[in-house]
Amino acid sequence: MARFVTPRHSHRLAVLASAVLLATACSGPAGVELGKDWKGSTSLVLVEVDGLVTVVGVNPDRARAESLAVVPQQADDDHSVSPQLVELADGRRVLTVPREGNRPDRRYQVDRDDHVLDGMTNGERLRRLLPGRTLVAEVAGLPDRGSATRHIAASSVLVKEPAHWTVKRELTIPGTIWLAASDPASDRICLAGGAKVFVAELTTGKVTPVSLPSGMDVENLACPGGHPVIVGPSTSDSSGVVNATLIRTDGETTVSVTGGRVDAVAATGTSVLLAVATGDDTEILELDTTTGKELHRATVKGLPASLDIAATSAGWLLYTEHSVTRVDPPTGRTKTFDLPGTLLDS
């Protein structure tokens, strides 16, 4: 995903300072060349460009990715944990930069109109944002991509009102949260830790465990409309063929995959996208979330691993560390273009 903000009148700190920093960045700080395609960049991602955390715009129609804004660097940035960029239900993007020690994360709101980053207050320490429909969840205990973390007895989730970032309630989730997903169309979020999956109601604070098939290993998680989609490997023999079996109930949807490793999952209103690594290639499957029927399938040659997948009006976007591949679902045609650096968050 998850593949996981505030209203337009959020607190702004050092707006002038941010504007000055970014104005300076336009001249190419540390060699970073900035583009101007804010309008055409329908997707924004975070990329490390020449050692700097940079907001990069992805224009799938033109198959191009370019740096748009450099995040101000501080001496206490925690480089062991990746920064995060999320889009809230109202369309605002919030960028979080972890800091060392027990210091709260630094946060910025991306101003697409003025092409600047506005400083925000009320950051928490190492929390991942999960945007809901009217509220926002901040999850502690979620490990960074590719890193390990110690097991804890319980994890906390802060539920905040995004207009002023005031805390509405705090939820306690058993164990360490390894996976988390949300959908800005719903105030229900999905959380997973070990072999357990939970659904949390942000408006009431109710936390409900989800029943899983016996022996299922939870490897990926999506949460379309607040409904958990749980993905894991199948124990059946696949003979090297990628197949996915989707079973939907009132409580959850499970997807068992054979023939490869599921690297990324994304859910739309009516379908689930799976990026499955099969040795030197990646297979993309789209399944109907109601019937489980396979809608589309495409193969991306020479791509042994991926980090994220997204559905856009221009087709599927498959992200790796250094590139983006646009895939046309009906034809399977692909177009790969480079990122200006190393992907941090998408």
Side-chain angles (χ1 to χ4, degrees):
M1 1 231 153
R3 100 222 281 125
F4 315 118
V5 275
T6 67
R8 300 184 186 269
H9 301 292
S10 66
H11 295 292
R12 295 187 173 189
L13 288 184
V15 175
L16 181 58
S18 295
V20 170
L21 280 166
L22 292 176
T24 304
C26 290
S27 63
V32 177
E33 296 184 7
L34 300 184
K36 300 179 180 179
D37 190 19
W38 286 84
K39 184 176 181 181
S41 297
T42 54
S43 298
L44 297 181
V45 299
L46 292 181
V47 176
E48 183 177 337
V49 182
D50 293 334
L52 300 175
V53 178
T54 306
V55 177
V56 168
V58 177
N59 186 328
D61 292 312
R62 302 182 66 177
R64 185 176 68 184
E66 63 181 30
S67 301
L68 296 177
V70 175
V71 180
Q73 308 296 292
Q74 303 292 340
D76 61 356
D77 288 351
D78 188 346
H79 298 289
S80 66
V81 183
S82 293
Q84 183 195 23
L85 181 64
V86 298
E87 182 176 0
L88 298 186
D90 61 8
R92 286 174 302 142
R93 269 90 164 179
V94 170
L95 191 159
T96 301
V97 179
R99 298 168 68 195
E100 295 177 342
N102 293 319
R103 299 175 181 89
D105 300 339
R106 289 188 295 113
R107 289 184 179 170
Y108 302 90
Q109 182 172 309
V110 181
D111 189 330
R112 291 177 65 102
D113 294 328
D114 294 334
H115 305 172
V116 297
L117 307 180
D118 294 326
M120 299 173 60
T121 57
N122 299 329
E124 300 291 338
R125 167 62 183 159
L126 292 180
R127 289 180 180 267
R128 295 292 182 175
L129 295 179
L130 294 177
R133 186 174 63 86
T134 64
L135 298 169
V136 173
E138 296 187 347
V139 181
L142 189 65
D144 190 45
R145 176 188 291 159
S147 68
T149 189
R150 63 186 179 87
H151 291 274
I152 57 178
S155 301
S156 71
V157 175
L158 292 181
V159 180
K160 291 189 174 182
E161 186 275 317
H164 305 290
W165 296 98
T166 53
V167 177
K168 301 287 288 185
R169 59 184 54 86
E170 182 174 5
L171 312 181
T172 300
I173 309 297
T176 301
I177 299 173
W178 292 95
L179 298 168
S182 71
D183 182 350
S186 171
D187 275 324
R188 285 162 49 103
I189 64 172
C190 304
L191 308 164
K196 297 181 179 180
V197 176
F198 302 89
V199 172
E201 303 270 358
L202 300 185
T203 54
T204 65
K206 182 180 180 182
V207 178
T208 305
V210 175
S211 299
L212 298 178
S214 177
M216 183 170 189
D217 186 9
V218 181
E219 289 191 341
N220 287 274
L221 184 69
C223 198
H227 182 89
V229 175
I230 305 153
V231 182
S234 174
T235 57
S236 63
D237 182 14
S238 67
S239 301
V241 178
V242 175
N243 282 307
T245 302
L246 183 149
I247 300 176
R248 183 182 178 93
T249 69
D250 291 338
E252 77 285 332
T253 295
T254 58
V255 183
S256 300
V257 180
T258 64
R261 179 191 69 246
V262 181
D263 284 344
V265 176
T268 69
T270 58
S271 66
V272 176
L273 286 178
L274 306 170
V276 185
T278 60
D280 293 332
D281 306 321
T282 291
E283 198 92 356
I284 302 177
L285 282 72
E286 183 179 19
L287 307 177
D288 185 287
T289 52
T290 301
T291 65
K293 178 183 177 181
E294 184 177 308
L295 301 176
H296 296 101
R297 179 186 289 246
T299 302
V300 182
K301 295 290 187 181
L303 192 70
S306 58
L307 296 178
D308 198 6
I309 190 169
T312 73
S313 59
W316 302 329
L317 296 182
L318 192 63
Y319 290 89
T320 70
E321 272 195 312
H322 301 290
S323 67
V324 184
T325 298
R326 185 189 67 199
V327 184
D328 181 56
T331 66
R333 287 197 201 80
T334 64
K335 173 68 175 179
T336 299
F337 51 101
D338 292 334
L339 292 167
T342 302
L343 184 69
L344 298 174
D345 190 49
S346 56

